[in-house]
Amino acid sequence: MCILFIYVNADGKPGKYKLILASNRDEYYNRPAKVAGSWDESPHVIGGRDMEPGREGGTWLAIGGGGSDGVIRVGALLNVTGENKQNVVTGRGHIVSNYVAGTASSEDYSKRLLANDTYGAFNFVSVELGEQAASVLHASNAPHKIDRCDLGKALGFGNSTLDVPLEKVKNGRSRFADIIDKRSDGSSEDSLVKELLELLKSNEKYFPDPELSRRAPNYAEKLSSINVYFPESGYGSRTRTIILVDHNNRMEFIEETMSSADPDGGWQRTHIERQF
């Protein structure tokens, strides 16, 4: 499971953030991964990499900017829990990496993705920040659908369908909106990052949750918090990411990720700045 909060401001006024993103990656603690950084084959892309044997090079979240078309692209992948898809033959990890490294529009890419679907159930969220326009799209193969999301408001995505969000997504989105209302003008970046990380570290359980119980009946309560902590199964929120892009296309990428398979052990912090 994973959770993702996004705010995209289309007006590009000075002092405003174009993008505010906060995300938790939920995964098995012992699954190998690279910390966030520039990619050797696509230096304009920044993100972590999955290093699971046979799935090397995929990613759950990345941003690409400074390519030939001048568009900043963000892609994020979330599985849809409790869906049994037939004819699954392709790993999902390259859905994001192919998008952020390329030049296809999010709409064209999403349409091709669903037209050639051999993947397990997914939610794919794509963001475009161009000089004249911005967009946030949500594409899913469970069921096949592409939705254009509203700009200028707090958005939340999780491991269910877009029209039936989990309780932790709804409550987290409300908290995210409160943070945005206070901090989206760029007046205090340190305070913004601190509050976003506190949101991602929240252990409050939003339970009962009928939709989560339907999708994961045996583990629903354990999965009902924004920060999933499930050490007895070796699983939980193992990477936290904040991405900020200001009106001048200056990006801040802040990642906190487990430095071992012990969630109570050390965490490694990565901070990348780039002018797109």
Side-chain angles (χ1 to χ4, degrees):
M1 305 192 83
C2 298
I3 199 164
L4 172 70
F5 303 105
I6 290 177
Y7 167 84
V8 172
N9 175 25
D11 63 24
K13 292 180 180 178
K16 298 280 188 178
Y17 286 109
K18 286 185 177 181
L19 170 71
I20 301 174
L21 179 151
S23 175
N24 273 346
R25 181 198 184 200
D26 300 341
E27 187 51 85
Y28 287 102
Y29 296 142
N30 61 2
R31 183 164 179 166
K34 284 185 177 180
V35 299
S38 296
W39 295 358
D40 292 340
E41 76 279 17
S42 301
H44 65 291
V45 175
I46 296 170
R49 308 298 293 267
D50 187 5
M51 297 305 294
E52 179 82 2
R55 301 182 181 182
E56 298 93 340
T59 188
W60 56 97
L61 172 66
I63 181 170
S68 59
D69 62 358
V71 175
I72 298 172
R73 291 176 173 82
V74 182
L77 188 71
L78 308 94
N79 73 302
V80 184
T81 301
E83 297 287 338
N84 293 316
K85 294 271 280 85
Q86 302 297 318
N87 303 318
V88 175
V89 297
T90 309
R92 294 171 293 192
H94 290 281
I95 290 176
V96 171
S97 55
N98 290 340
Y99 170 66
V100 295
T103 57
S105 72
S106 57
E107 185 171 4
D108 287 345
Y109 185 85
S110 296
K111 287 179 178 178
R112 290 202 304 267
L113 188 64
L114 296 185
N116 300 282
D117 176 24
T118 55
Y119 304 97
F122 67 78
N123 290 324
F124 170 59
V125 181
S126 54
V127 178
E128 282 186 350
L129 300 174
E131 288 300 321
Q132 304 299 325
S135 69
V136 181
L137 263 61
H138 175 278
S140 180
N141 65 349
H144 277 220
K145 191 179 181 185
I146 299 174
D147 289 284
R148 187 170 294 274
C149 303
D150 292 336
L151 303 179
K153 64 183 293 186
L155 304 172
F157 307 92
N159 303 108
S160 63
T161 57
L162 193 62
D163 57 333
V164 188
L166 302 180
E167 290 297 319
K168 66 178 182 179
V169 173
K170 291 191 288 186
N171 284 275
R173 181 176 58 205
S174 178
R175 292 178 59 183
F176 181 64
D178 290 342
I179 296 170
I180 297 305
D181 287 343
K182 290 189 296 182
R183 305 295 184 189
S184 64
D185 62 356
S187 59
S188 179
E189 185 172 291
D190 289 344
S191 296
L192 172 61
V193 170
K194 180 181 177 181
E195 291 183 34
L196 292 174
L197 287 173
E198 288 174 353
L199 169 64
L200 296 178
K201 294 176 184 179
S202 173
N203 294 317
E204 181 178 355
K205 287 182 167 57
Y206 297 102
F207 197 78
D209 181 342
E211 179 67 6
L212 183 54
S213 294
R214 184 181 73 83
R215 291 184 172 276
N218 296 325
Y219 309 107
E221 187 170 1
K222 286 287 188 179
L223 301 174
S224 64
S225 54
I226 293 172
N227 178 62
V228 174
Y229 180 78
F230 200 177
E232 57 267 42
S233 291
Y235 182 89
S237 299
R238 53 168 290 173
T239 302
R240 302 183 281 262
T241 305
I242 308 294
I243 302 177
L244 308 175
V245 178
D246 71 10
H247 73 285
N248 286 320
N249 290 338
R250 182 182 68 89
M251 184 213 68
E252 301 271 345
F253 191 115
I254 299 159
E255 176 186 273
E256 294 184 350
T257 193
M258 288 168 48
S259 53
S260 72
D262 178 8
D264 297 318
W267 286 67
Q268 179 177 347
R269 184 182 175 99
T270 300
H271 187 175
I272 300 169
E273 299 182 45
R274 178 172 291 184
Q275 180 64 56
F276 287 135

